[in-house]
Amino acid sequence: MHYDVIVVGGSFAGLSAAMQPARARRKVLVIDAGEPRNRFAGHSHGFLGQDGRTPSAILDEARRQLLAYPTARINPGRAERAAITGNGFEVRTEDGETFEAARLVLATGVRDILPNVPGLAGLWGRKVLHCPYCHGYEVAGGPLGVLATGPMSMHQAELISDWGAVTLFANGQFEPDVDQRRTLENRNILFEQSKVIKLQENVAGGLIVRLDDGRSAGVRAVFTAPHNMMASPLAEQLGCAFNEGPLGRAIVVDDKQQTSVPGVFAAGDAARLMHNIAFAVSGGAMAGVAAHQSLVFG
């Protein structure tokens, strides 16, 4: 079946994008493997009207609302190949199904590359966090840690000190210069040079940060800024341009979410360097509207 728009990725950006052409009575297919980036988080915060709900509950409702439109469909597959054709685009899933559309929206997201610290992966999304606007309020008021992953961790520590007393754990990834040390002192941020060898949850629900010299520190939560990579190869297969950011790549888009490849739009974490549910929904809506308008106006 030939669709007007195929959206690859069915999380916040993708469902928001699909809603727009579906409401314009266009045939829309969402291809989604069901692995949203924030599936490790217990609750979502900072998203207007949905604050405190679980990400899965928000997405379940969004899928229900999208599928109320008779021209919308969701395929629970993993898109593994995309190509430009004479009629637009072709997308193939890992089970061999092939779909065609006149326009393509990539809402494929990114994959986090977590620091290699024992215990960290099992705490990701609960006690090891990345975004203070998403999770800071819930852990505010007590001691907090920032686990460095590079020079950007200095900025992260400064920011998070608004939520509590911060210790910046260098972990061999960052060495502040004289001016940065002065900034840390002015913000009352402790700097810990020793390597972090383990994170573990304590009985009170906080974290114990164990150091290689035998010492340990207790914190309510640890923030870190993991590097990330594209969760899907489709943008590269299609020849889309990328921006290189301090933590990873992002697909280049204009103010209408159009990529460097005509007819291909992108939204969500894969298409911006700052990541947030509200940003993803906004970018998805613009991508969906722009994709539809390009069908009308060429």
Side-chain angles (χ1 to χ4, degrees), residues 170-184:
N171 200 36
Q173 301 297 313
F174 172 67
E175 178 64 40
D177 59 27
V178 173
D179 289 339
Q180 289 172 326
R181 285 185 180 273
R182 187 177 299 113
T183 297
L184 291 173

Side-chain angles (χ1 to χ4, degrees), residues 48-72:
L48 189 65
Q50 302 289 339
D51 192 63
R53 296 188 71 194
T54 65
S56 59
I58 301 172
L59 290 174
D60 284 347
E61 177 63 15
R63 283 188 287 266
R64 185 194 67 78
Q65 292 181 8
L66 174 64
L67 292 176
Y69 295 94
T71 58

Side-chain angles (χ1 to χ4, degrees), residues 7-15 30-33 59 63 107:
V7 178
V8 182
S11 190
F12 295 93
L15 294 174
V30 176
I31 301 174
D32 179 50
L59 290 174
R63 283 188 287 266

Side-chain angles (χ1 to χ4, degrees), residues 86-123:
N87 295 321
F89 304 92
E90 179 180 275
V91 179
R92 188 181 70 212
T93 62
E94 63 181 356
D95 60 4
E97 286 191 278
T98 300
F99 305 95
E100 295 184 343
R103 299 292 184 270
L104 186 59
V105 177
L106 301 177
T108 45
V110 298
R111 183 176 295 114
D112 293 304
I113 305 169
L114 300 179
N116 186 23
V117 174
L120 185 149
L123 296 164

Side-chain angles (χ1 to χ4, degrees), residues 1 41 61 63 78 104 120 126 131 175 198 264 272:
M1 182 176 181
E61 177 63 15
R63 283 188 287 266
R78 186 184 304 277
L104 186 59
L120 185 149
R126 298 191 299 112
C131 173
E175 178 64 40
K198 188 175 184 180
V264 179
R272 60 179 300 130

Side-chain angles (χ1 to χ4, degrees), residues 5 49 52 230 242:
V5 180
M230 289 286 128
F242 291 87

